[in-house]
Amino acid sequence: MQTDLAASGKSLAIKGIAVQLVLSATMIIICALIWPYYVSSVALGVISFVLPHCIFAFWIFRHAGASKNQQVVRSLSQGMKLKLALTSLIFIVAFSVFTAHPLFLLGAYAIVTVSQWLAMFWFNQH
């Protein structure tokens, strides 16, 4: 009988990503109604956190278990580097290709980042 030692972590990550997606969609819709000109900036801000975070979550949960301790640590390190590189790349593209408005892009990024922290705290308590 095998037990998935990372099952609770995977479940928590999925719940956190679900919160991010719901909040992201809500922010984009509200921005489309109030400031339609800045929707692309908000969408790029959301994408710059959610996409790298989803890839990071997948990357770190590839391996689990005490026998794969070294692989888990390596995956965590690689996942963090990958997340940082992808986030940086999305910011570069957002500001150079799409000429995104910094306040809306960084504001959306910050809101989604904080929501992820709060979601993790909330789901850990309940």
Side-chain angles (χ1 to χ4, degrees), residues 15-33 38-54 104-105 107-116 119:
K15 289 176 185 176
I17 290 169
V19 168
Q20 291 170 3
L21 293 175
V22 169
L23 178 67
S24 299
T26 304
M27 282 193 323
I28 290 170
I29 290 168
I30 290 171
C31 185
L33 296 173
Y38 299 113
V39 170
S40 61
S41 296
V42 170
L44 287 166
V46 163
I47 290 168
S48 65
F49 183 82
V50 173
L51 181 64
H53 185 71
C54 289
F104 285 87
L105 186 139
Y109 180 84
I111 289 169
V112 176
T113 301
V114 171
S115 76
Q116 192 262 339

Side-chain angles (χ1 to χ4, degrees), residues 4 15 21 23 34 43 46 48 57 61 65 76-77 81-84 95 100 108 110 112 121 126:
D4 186 3
K15 289 176 185 176
L21 293 175
L23 178 67
I34 299 172
V46 163
S48 65
F61 287 114
L76 181 62
S77 176
K81 291 173 190 171
L82 183 62
K83 182 177 179 180
L84 179 61
F95 287 122
V112 176
F121 178 73
H126 294 93

Side-chain angles (χ1 to χ4, degrees), residues 51-115:
L51 181 64
H53 185 71
C54 289
I55 292 171
F56 173 73
F58 168 75
W59 200 266
I60 64 172
F61 287 114
R62 292 182 308 155
H63 307 289
S67 65
K68 297 183 180 184
N69 186 19
Q70 301 259 338
Q71 291 172 324
V72 170
V73 171
R74 192 174 320 117
S75 288
L76 181 62
S77 176
Q78 291 171 345
M80 289 171 50
K81 291 173 190 171
L82 183 62
K83 182 177 179 180
L84 179 61
L86 189 55
T87 301
S88 300
L89 181 65
I90 293 170
F91 277 157
I92 290 167
V93 169
F95 287 122
S96 63
V97 175
F98 293 100
T99 59
H101 191 276
L103 179 65
F104 285 87
L105 186 139
L106 295 173
Y109 180 84
I111 289 169
V112 176
T113 301
V114 171
S115 76

